[in-house]
Amino acid sequence: MGRPVPAVTRALDVLELFHHGDGTLFAPEVTRKFQLPRTTVHELLTTLAARSCPVPVADQPGRHCPGVRTYQLGSRYAEQFDLAAEDRQVAREVAGTCGETVQVAILDDTGTGTDTGTDTVCVAEADTDEDELRTVLASVRERGVAVERRESDPDVSCVAAPVRDRTGSVVAALSISVPMIRWAEEHEEEPASLAVGGADALSGRLGHHEGQQ
């Protein structure tokens, strides 16, 4: 394998900065971030702009936004993206680490247009009150992971984390099911961490980036 080309690496580093903030870049921000000379940053941005990657923002000297070429490249990636194949690969990787059953699931809307029929998931027993349910859901939202202890199967517990797309919307969930003979609540952080890591990896392949909600 050949060695990376420093100039190309720097150019890609600059493009990746568009993932953060408001999606624009000011030349001095690039200079501070990478501790590069101003002339080098100017040359990088000028070269990339010549290929319609970042382009100057009108009436804001020195500020750039993603150009049409980045959209075209992203569209090409989306066209060939195989969600099912990516799901299987990530699930296999997580399963290989924990040795348990790993699933990626999406919500299946079965409505016919005349009703709101949607497959539902039981998240609480009948005697769980609304306030308690809201507390549980708030905890799940804060932690970014849900834990189900023998609720759907008395012999199995499960942890799950959300999979998000490029807009930050939750589009699926990755879960790990663990038989009770191997489940210990004091150690549930381990499968929870693996579920979050797997979900984050799949989210990244869908265009979501860290820190985006």
Side-chain angles (χ1 to χ4, degrees):
M1 180 181 295
R3 66 179 181 86
V5 179
V8 176
T9 298
R10 285 196 295 268
L12 293 174
D13 286 340
V14 170
L15 289 177
E16 289 178 357
L17 288 179
F18 284 106
H19 278 304
H20 308 286
D22 65 358
T24 66
L25 281 181
F26 192 46
E29 297 171 351
V30 181
T31 301
R32 290 193 299 269
K33 175 68 176 180
F34 299 119
Q35 296 296 301
L36 293 172
R38 286 180 296 177
T39 54
T40 299
V41 171
H42 175 74
E43 290 171 352
L44 281 171
L45 290 173
T46 298
T47 301
L48 290 169
R51 302 301 294 269
S52 298
C53 289
V55 293
V57 176
D59 302 323
Q60 296 186 43
R63 187 167 292 279
H64 291 70
C65 64
V68 66
R69 182 63 65 189
T70 56
Y71 173 78
Q72 291 170 337
L73 290 172
S75 297
R76 176 61 65 182
Y77 174 79
E79 289 171 2
Q80 58 83 44
F81 185 82
D82 186 337
L83 178 59
E86 297 292 336
D87 290 347
R88 287 193 295 271
Q89 181 176 341
V90 172
R92 281 196 296 264
E93 291 171 356
V94 176
T97 301
C98 65
E100 305 292 356
T101 299
V102 178
Q103 298 176 318
V104 178
I106 62 173
L107 184 65
D108 180 22
D109 185 353
T110 59
T112 63
T114 58
D115 58 41
T116 56
T118 301
D119 286 355
T120 59
V121 178
C122 178
V123 296
E125 297 294 339
D127 60 355
T128 299
D129 63 34
E130 183 177 345
D131 289 340
E132 182 178 350
L133 177 58
R134 290 183 182 278
T135 299
V136 171
L137 293 177
S139 176
V140 170
R141 187 177 295 109
E142 179 179 356
R143 293 182 61 199
V145 63
V147 180
E148 178 257 283
R149 304 179 183 89
R150 300 192 298 177
E151 294 174 19
S152 58
D153 186 329
D155 298 319
V156 177
S157 285
C158 180
V159 293
V163 175
R164 300 178 183 274
D165 65 11
R166 64 180 181 81
T167 70
S169 299
V170 175
V171 295
L174 183 144
S175 66
I176 301 175
S177 299
V178 183
M180 291 308 300
I181 59 174
R182 293 194 294 272
W183 177 269
E185 288 191 17
E186 62 270 23
H187 297 141
E188 69 181 33
E189 285 303 320
E190 181 178 354
S193 178
L194 288 172
V196 171
D200 286 349
L202 185 53
S203 296
R205 299 183 189 195
L206 291 174
H208 184 263
H209 57 84
E210 186 177 356
Q212 179 185 10
Q213 294 294 331

